[in-house]
Amino acid sequence: MLAYHKEKNAACTIAMLEVPWEEASRFGLMFTNEDGAITAFEEKPKNPKSNKASMGVYMFTWDKLRQYLLEDEAKEGSSNDFGKDVIPAMHSAGERMYAYAFDGYWKDVGTIDSLWEANLDLLNPKVNLDLSDTSWKIYGKNPIAPPQYVSGSAKIQNSLAAGGCTIEGDIDYSVLFSNVTVEKNAAVRYSIVMPGAVIKSGATVQYSIVAENAVIESGATVGKRPEDMKELSDWGVSVIGANVTIGKNAKVKPKSMIDTDLKGGEEA
């Protein structure tokens, strides 16, 4: 992208990815000519005429960036935002702006479904995303935690479990962050479980996101498989908020977002 930016002698280069047309209305879109120069922008239109989405990754020539940042800072009422203010100002002024066509892995995680999908992409052999690729290291905060403990009663299939996890139940196609506990006879399927969460004995979590330090009590059920729904339109990823407790034998429906404790036997 840097080489492309220099080659075009651009003031600004924006990484661009062609997205499916049915998703295009979620993005800021660009129109380009044959040379890759950006001719127009379209911000999350209801009826998109382009599927060239801005990835929100920008490269600037320093003197141009400095100029427009100073001008924007001095502009009364500006929201001081790249996408809303700086980029449009550069385009209106006729600056050289180009779209760089990206063909690697990228996911916009602005929705619950896309956040869920992005995590599970780590388990999908058809997705070109490898955490062990030494040529493209991903750096993150590493918790101080012991290695995972997996008991003899546990069953784990095609999943990731970070350090500090204690697993005695069944895990299938799921991502467990650090210090997660899954007790015996509990099941986690097609789900993302954030740090410190506890899934107690007899609980079932499927097609869900469970946030930090949440507790799913014994016998509780969170989420549902799409094939178990009478109407697929009623299905969606269930979300349990941070520090929330789902009581014994409570039930959380698909698409539900629970941000307060749910008492035993309740349904939401």
Side-chain angles (χ1 to χ4, degrees):
M1 185 175 177
L2 177 58
Y4 178 86
H5 178 81
K6 290 180 176 179
E7 174 193 332
K8 297 297 184 181
N9 191 29
C12 174
T13 300
I14 302 175
M16 174 269 290
L17 189 72
E18 292 191 6
V19 298
W21 280 97
E22 60 270 20
E23 296 182 18
S25 60
R26 289 177 46 210
F27 300 95
L29 305 172
M30 296 179 284
F31 296 84
T32 62
N33 61 22
E34 293 180 358
D35 188 37
I38 299 170
T39 58
F41 290 94
E42 202 173 27
E43 184 62 27
K44 298 181 180 179
K46 289 184 178 180
N47 299 301
K49 298 177 182 178
S50 168
N51 70 332
K52 296 179 178 179
S54 166
M55 295 168 59
V57 178
Y58 312 120
M59 189 167 288
F60 296 92
T61 296
W62 166 237
D63 60 346
K64 293 293 185 180
L65 174 61
R66 183 179 187 276
Q67 173 190 339
Y68 284 94
L69 283 177
L70 290 172
E71 289 178 1
D72 187 71
E73 178 66 18
K75 187 177 180 180
E76 188 175 349
S78 173
S79 57
N80 304 132
D81 181 85
F82 275 114
K84 294 179 181 178
D85 303 294
V86 178
I87 300 295
M90 295 182 76
H91 184 257
S92 296
E95 298 289 357
R96 293 177 61 85
M97 305 184 72
Y98 282 82
Y100 173 76
F102 180 73
D103 62 357
Y105 179 86
W106 181 78
K107 180 84 74 173
D108 172 56
V109 291
T111 66
I112 293 297
D113 285 352
S114 60
L115 175 63
W116 177 77
E117 290 168 2
N119 278 274
L120 293 187
D121 279 348
L122 295 169
L123 308 173
N124 189 343
K126 296 181 180 179
V127 173
N128 186 25
L129 182 60
D130 181 9
L131 291 178
S132 301
D133 184 354
T134 56
S135 67
W136 185 50
K137 293 182 179 180
I138 299 176
Y139 294 93
K141 185 178 180 181
N142 194 17
I144 300 173
Q148 308 95 329
Y149 169 74
V150 179
S151 76
S153 65
K155 295 180 182 178
I156 304 177
Q157 300 183 70
N158 197 25
S159 297
L160 288 173
C165 288
T166 298
I167 304 170
E168 298 179 280
D170 295 353
I171 313 294
D172 185 17
Y173 211 81
S174 295
V175 176
L176 274 56
F177 284 66
S178 59
N179 300 309
V180 167
T181 298
V182 180
E183 294 184 353
K184 191 174 181 179
N185 298 322
V188 178
R189 305 184 185 102
Y190 289 79
S191 294
I192 316 303
V193 185
M194 301 293 185
V198 177
I199 316 298
K200 293 199 173 182
S201 179
T204 299
V205 174
Q206 49 191 352
Y207 294 88
S208 300
I209 299 174
V210 178
E212 295 88 342
N213 303 312
V215 177
I216 314 300
E217 294 282 4
S218 300
T221 301
V222 178
K224 210 169 188 177
R225 300 189 311 166
E227 52 265 42
D228 291 339
M229 303 294 294
K230 291 182 180 179
E231 296 290 337
L232 190 57
S233 59
D234 294 333
W235 181 84
V237 175
S238 304
V239 179
I240 308 301
N243 303 302
V244 167
T245 295
I246 303 300
K248 289 184 179 181
N249 301 314
K251 293 184 179 181
V252 176
K253 298 176 183 178
K255 278 188 181 178
S256 293
M257 298 186 69
I258 309 299
D259 58 4
T260 58
D261 292 350
L262 195 64
K263 294 179 180 179
E266 287 189 332
E267 186 172 324

